[in-house]
Amino acid sequence: ITMLSGDLMKDDFGSGYDAVLMSYLLNEYSIWDNIALMQKVYDSLNKGGTVYIHQQIISDDKTYPLNATMESINMLVNTPNGDAMTETDLWIILKESNFQEIKFRQTEFGTCVVTAKKLSSF
């Protein structure tokens, strides 16, 4: 396991990874920033590599569940472009970043673990 420090929007991630874990990170940024970020993650992975995203998911109308709605308000007030992510948002971000085999798994804690694979070598 290797942990990297730095500015994730500016610094290079390197390459050769089999897996990348991101927890409660994507809600800090806009969809467009997240697409750029996930493209960097995609480029850092080996063919067959997996990204694991742990996030709270809000409904498409952004009203349910209550804790995700409160998180959405928090992100809107305290970040320049952040917001709670819907399943649709995450699917678009990952598809636009060339990921495949996108799967959503609900946890017993009210969060979701999203997995997506890099299946091609480019």
Side-chain angles (χ1 to χ4, degrees):
I1 295 175
T2 302
M3 296 185 71
L4 301 176
S5 64
D7 185 328
L8 64 103
M9 296 308 243
K10 294 179 183 174
D11 294 341
D12 182 61
F13 293 170
S15 61
Y17 301 110
D18 294 318
V20 171
L21 169 65
M22 304 174 94
S23 183
Y24 276 88
L25 179 68
L26 301 183
N27 57 342
E28 300 280 336
Y29 303 99
S30 72
I31 287 180
W32 303 112
D33 288 340
N34 280 317
I35 290 170
L37 175 61
M38 294 312 295
Q39 286 172 336
K40 287 176 61 174
V41 170
Y42 183 89
D43 292 342
S44 75
L45 287 168
N46 292 324
K47 181 179 179 182
T50 304
V51 63
Y52 297 87
I53 301 168
H54 177 239
Q55 284 285 144
Q56 195 169 52
I57 302 286
I58 195 167
S59 62
D60 280 335
D61 66 1
K62 302 223 176 193
T63 62
Y64 183 82
L66 178 59
N67 58 344
T69 304
M70 297 305 291
E71 178 69 13
S72 179
I73 293 168
N74 180 41
M75 290 295 106
L76 291 170
V77 170
N78 292 303
T79 66
N81 298 306
D83 197 359
M85 293 281 134
T86 68
E87 193 170 300
T88 303
D89 293 335
L90 290 168
W91 189 87
I92 290 168
I93 289 164
L94 291 165
K95 280 307 225 181
E96 286 294 318
S97 305
N98 298 312
F99 282 98
Q100 297 175 321
E101 294 186 10
I102 301 166
K103 296 179 184 171
F104 293 82
R105 293 179 182 91
Q106 296 297 318
T107 72
E108 61 187 82
F109 309 108
T111 60
C112 186
V113 175
V114 184
T115 60
K117 291 199 170 282
K118 177 180 181 175
L119 297 180
S120 63
S121 57
F122 54 86

